[in-house]
Amino acid sequence: MKITGISVTPIYPKKIIGGSQKIFLDLLMGLDKRDHNVQILSTKSNDLNEEFFIDTLLVKPYLNFRGSFPSTHQIPPFDLIKNTKIIENQVQDSDVIYLHADSLYLRPNLNISKIFRSIHDYIYEESILSTLLLSSKVTVVPSNYLKNCIETIVLNSGIRDLEPVISIPNAITNNVSIKEKKFIKDLKKRSKRDLLVLFPHRPAPNKGLIEAIKIIKKLQSRLINRRVKLLVPFNQNSILPDESNYSFNSMRQIVSDYNVEDLVIMHEWLNSDEMPEFLSLGDVVICPGHFVESFGLIPLEAIYNGTPVVCYKVGALRELSDIPGIYQVTFGDIDVFVDSILDAININESSMIEGQEYVRSTYSLNSMINSYEKLFLGEHNAFHRKTISNDLMVLAPWCHIEKKSIYNDYTSKFYNYPNLFKFFLHGNKIEIDLKKISSSDTLHDINLAIRDGCITKVIV
């Protein structure tokens, strides 16, 4: 089977930037080792415009995209046209065209039965428009959370028919670093008094840098016998494929404004093969942002490497609540977040081992590759065509109920609808039959909840 994987971000021969790119390479390298004919078509850069190999996997950096998010397609129109010609020429004899983190606006005359795509961060305009406007044979997502979100958005839009949306969890692996950085060597020499709090996220506002700083200030005030250190990555060379990140100077200014120079250690961005050892050196990993997570790679990688995690209950992170070692907190509750850190750093060893074993068995690389391979070979269950009900409404999949309030992932706000909770709240579910509503007050609350994106029509 010949497989062409397409990435609108650059693929580099000796470094991997970000979790999505790591998943992409793990998958295609795994398929390549199973004797499929695999190639990657990716975006070129000034110093990367000729084909190369990663092991035996062929990479062709031929495409003319910007190489960073957002606005990947913000390039001259003649370059957009070039891309369609390049893609058409490179995939014409492929059995599978895999669009990783699909954001490919212009598609030449491709056979739709060959197009498989995955969707990851469902906040970028590119990804959302792709699901609303463009079809594929199958859409792959890493979590049931994202599957429910995409199905609900596409069906409620009424713009197009929905293809099968299949959840295949990302793999959690432990690649061994070839060369240990001095920074990691220095961490191993830490004092026993040092409490290392890891913030291994892109330095973007919605990933929670400022929240992390507020949390560690409060944590230090409660641990007078420990020296709390928040480890934060920075990107001085602008190599990260997302321009919504804080600049290095902005990060230094934030640290200064909050007067936490003695609590924060800023370190250069780590390559993916350096992350496992780094994660294993921390006392706790924190995820205090409101980014609409579609999977939860960092918490799972941390558990895999033996470090507990505290995170806000946002997006797909809510699906990880039963994993030992992962502590979840209502969004915005800093006091409880600090309490949870104190619980996490005192977790018993048996619970961490249980969490590690769960992650290793549930999110294995072999399982992910098997699932994609079967999908590409056509070995998936028959698809039941889905529609929406015009009379029944439920809580939107990007929302959850917390103390009789609804938290909305996309607005990062809590909402209260007294009449909804009074008549339609059943446990942690909202079920509304519009045919049975007669009260104007109740209808008012329902319309507000629809306006706010908190309830949506039922998928049947």
Side-chain angles (χ1 to χ4, degrees), residues 56-212:
T56 60
L57 176 61
L58 176 62
V59 181
K60 297 179 177 180
Y62 294 167
L63 300 176
N64 299 286
F65 295 108
R66 291 181 64 241
S68 60
F69 284 87
S71 302
T72 55
H73 293 57
Q74 197 174 66
I75 56 177
F78 49 83
D79 278 340
L80 283 174
I81 301 305
K82 285 180 189 175
N83 284 336
T84 64
K85 300 297 183 184
I86 292 168
I87 293 170
E88 194 168 40
N89 290 335
Q90 291 295 324
V91 306
Q92 58 185 342
D93 60 343
S94 297
D95 301 300
V96 168
I97 303 165
Y98 172 57
L99 309 180
H100 182 69
D102 179 26
S103 57
L104 199 62
Y105 284 167
L106 291 181
R107 297 178 185 173
N109 189 24
L110 303 179
N111 186 338
I112 191 67
S113 67
K114 293 183 177 183
I115 297 178
F116 296 75
R117 65 160 165 220
S118 65
I119 299 293
H120 295 269
D121 292 337
Y122 201 54
I123 62 165
Y124 294 114
E125 179 182 291
E126 289 92 337
S127 297
I128 295 172
L129 287 181
S130 291
T131 61
L132 284 172
L133 303 177
L134 302 171
S135 299
S136 63
K137 183 176 182 179
V138 174
T139 291
V140 182
V141 294
S143 63
N144 288 326
Y145 168 84
L146 189 52
K147 169 183 168 68
N148 294 333
C149 287
I150 290 176
E151 288 180 342
T152 299
I153 290 292
V154 173
L155 288 174
N156 276 273
S157 76
I159 295 173
R160 67 175 186 86
D161 292 332
L162 180 70
E163 69 279 350
V165 181
I166 296 176
S167 177
I168 300 177
N170 292 330
I172 308 300
T173 57
N174 194 349
N175 298 330
V176 178
S177 178
I178 298 173
K179 185 177 180 181
E180 189 173 76
K181 278 193 174 182
K182 181 179 182 301
F183 166 66
I184 291 179
K185 290 180 180 178
D186 290 341
L187 286 183
K188 291 181 177 179
K189 300 173 184 177
R190 55 183 271 194
S191 164
K192 291 183 179 180
R193 285 188 61 206
D194 291 335
L195 179 72
L196 301 186
V197 179
L198 307 186
F199 178 84
H201 308 286
R202 290 185 288 106
N206 55 11
K207 287 289 186 175
L209 174 60
I210 291 176
E211 288 77 6

Side-chain angles (χ1 to χ4, degrees), residues 407-454:
Y407 177 76
N408 187 320
D409 290 322
Y410 281 100
T411 63
S412 306
K413 295 179 180 179
F414 288 91
Y415 298 85
N416 292 283
Y417 310 103
N419 287 295
L420 257 63
F421 296 137
K422 182 177 180 180
F423 297 109
F424 305 108
L425 181 60
H426 307 286
N428 254 9
K429 295 182 179 180
I430 288 179
E431 300 172 350
I432 303 171
D433 187 344
L434 295 178
K435 293 183 295 185
K436 298 180 180 179
I437 306 299
S438 57
S439 166
S440 58
D441 290 339
T442 303
L443 283 172
H444 176 72
D445 271 11
I446 290 172
N447 287 328
L448 287 178
I450 293 172
R451 180 201 66 184
D452 297 331
C454 291

Side-chain angles (χ1 to χ4, degrees), residues 205-208 211 288-293 312 314 331 407 409 412:
N206 55 11
K207 287 289 186 175
E211 288 77 6
H290 61 266
F291 186 84
V292 187
E293 300 288 354
Y312 280 138
V314 296
F331 177 73
Y407 177 76
D409 290 322
S412 306

Side-chain angles (χ1 to χ4, degrees), residues 325-350:
I326 296 181
Y327 297 77
Q328 298 203 332
V329 179
T330 300
F331 177 73
D333 197 332
I334 289 180
D335 289 329
V336 175
F337 205 106
V338 172
D339 289 340
S340 298
I341 290 177
L342 296 174
D343 290 339
I345 62 177
N346 292 301
I347 189 172
N348 62 66
E349 186 177 355
S350 62

Side-chain angles (χ1 to χ4, degrees), residues 168-173 304 358-371:
I168 300 177
N170 292 330
I172 308 300
T173 57
Y304 187 100
Y358 178 86
V359 172
R360 286 172 180 163
S361 62
T362 306
Y363 302 96
S364 72
L365 179 59
N366 192 55
S367 176
M368 182 183 77
I369 295 171
N370 283 344
S371 296

